[in-house]
Amino acid sequence: MFSGIIETQGTVTAVKDGAGTRELFLRAPEIAPELATGDSVAVDGACLTVTGLADDGFTVDVIGTTLSRTVALRYGTGSRVNLERALPMGGRLDGHLVQGHVDGLGHLISTRKSGDFWLMDFRIPAEVDRITILHGSICINGVSLTVNALPEPGHCQVGIIPVTWERTNLGRLGPGDPVNLEGDLIGKYVAKLIGAHLSEGGMDLDRIRELGY
């Protein structure tokens, strides 16, 4: 489990492609000394297992569904990634509850400066859009963010404060670039339970949304 509060950025120093797998070598001297083989680390919001260690970095393997559902195939030498270690039991929970299970890819529409912060607009897929609410939480490239606006279905806007802009890779994105998205965990369960309950009575989630619930 993660919180969406990025600890540091890492740099991809090497990529090794195999048959349906991709091994990433990540330089991250700020957290590498505290890692152990088998630990979980969220890499741009995707929960991956540490498979090897070095003094200033670590390796992870990306396979199967994770390759198809995340931005991992776009990584090359020099790519900057957001990193967060798993939460310790009993630790402080900032951000929001994040599993590190990417629901799909979003794409940046635009970024604009507004005073001392930035507004970023993203196109998000239906499976994320249906559980995203105004002023709720969404995880973008592993970053816990508050939904600032939902201008239309499939369109989500978030605000980025200076410390987040500086400490994450969001500021490196250009229009059309893909991002990892994880929808709100609580929203997923609520949608599932309500959908199952109301479907028994002849009403589904699409109808619920039409009614404004």
Side-chain angles (χ1 to χ4, degrees):
M1 188 67 72
F2 306 91
S3 68
I5 303 300
I6 303 305
E7 294 185 83
T8 186
Q9 290 186 68
T11 302
V12 178
T13 57
V15 177
K16 182 180 179 181
D17 289 316
T21 66
R22 173 166 260 218
E23 185 177 33
L24 304 176
F25 299 82
L26 303 173
R27 184 178 184 277
E30 293 84 359
I31 64 172
E34 300 180 38
L35 292 175
T37 302
D39 282 356
S40 294
V41 177
V43 179
D44 277 344
C47 179
L48 300 174
T49 300
V50 175
T51 58
L53 290 166
D55 291 339
D56 64 348
F58 62 98
T59 61
V60 293
D61 290 327
V62 189
I63 62 172
T65 303
T66 305
L67 276 177
S68 66
R69 295 179 67 89
T70 72
V71 298
L73 278 175
R74 289 176 57 93
Y75 295 147
T77 301
S79 293
R80 297 283 285 174
V81 295
N82 297 327
L83 299 175
E84 181 191 355
R85 291 170 294 169
L87 289 172
M89 185 65 72
R92 184 185 301 276
L93 178 62
D94 297 310
H96 71 284
L97 294 173
V98 175
Q99 289 183 297
H101 300 165
V102 176
D103 294 311
L105 294 178
H107 292 84
L108 179 65
I109 299 172
S110 64
T111 301
R112 65 183 174 89
K113 188 80 178 293
S114 179
D116 292 329
F117 64 97
W118 291 261
L119 291 173
M120 302 187 78
D121 289 80
F122 292 90
R123 185 67 58 195
I124 62 176
E127 59 266 31
V128 176
D129 180 64
R130 68 198 300 264
I131 56 172
T132 300
I133 62 171
L134 184 63
H135 303 149
S137 297
I138 189 169
C139 192
I140 300 178
N141 268 6
V143 184
S144 172
L145 296 166
T146 299
V147 176
N148 183 65
L150 294 169
E152 60 183 349
H155 181 173
C156 175
Q157 184 186 85
V158 295
I160 310 296
I161 61 175
V163 66
T164 303
W165 187 263
E166 294 168 3
R167 295 186 59 172
T168 73
N169 61 13
L170 296 180
R172 296 171 176 266
L173 297 173
D177 283 348
V179 291
N180 291 333
L181 295 175
E182 181 180 333
D184 183 66
L185 177 61
I186 297 174
K188 294 176 188 178
Y189 284 106
V190 171
K192 179 73 172 181
L193 292 170
I194 292 178
H197 175 71
L198 293 181
S199 290
E200 294 175 0
M203 188 180 293
D204 60 23
L205 278 177
D206 291 332
R207 178 56 177 158
I208 295 171
R209 293 190 65 143
E210 290 177 7
L211 295 174
Y213 294 108

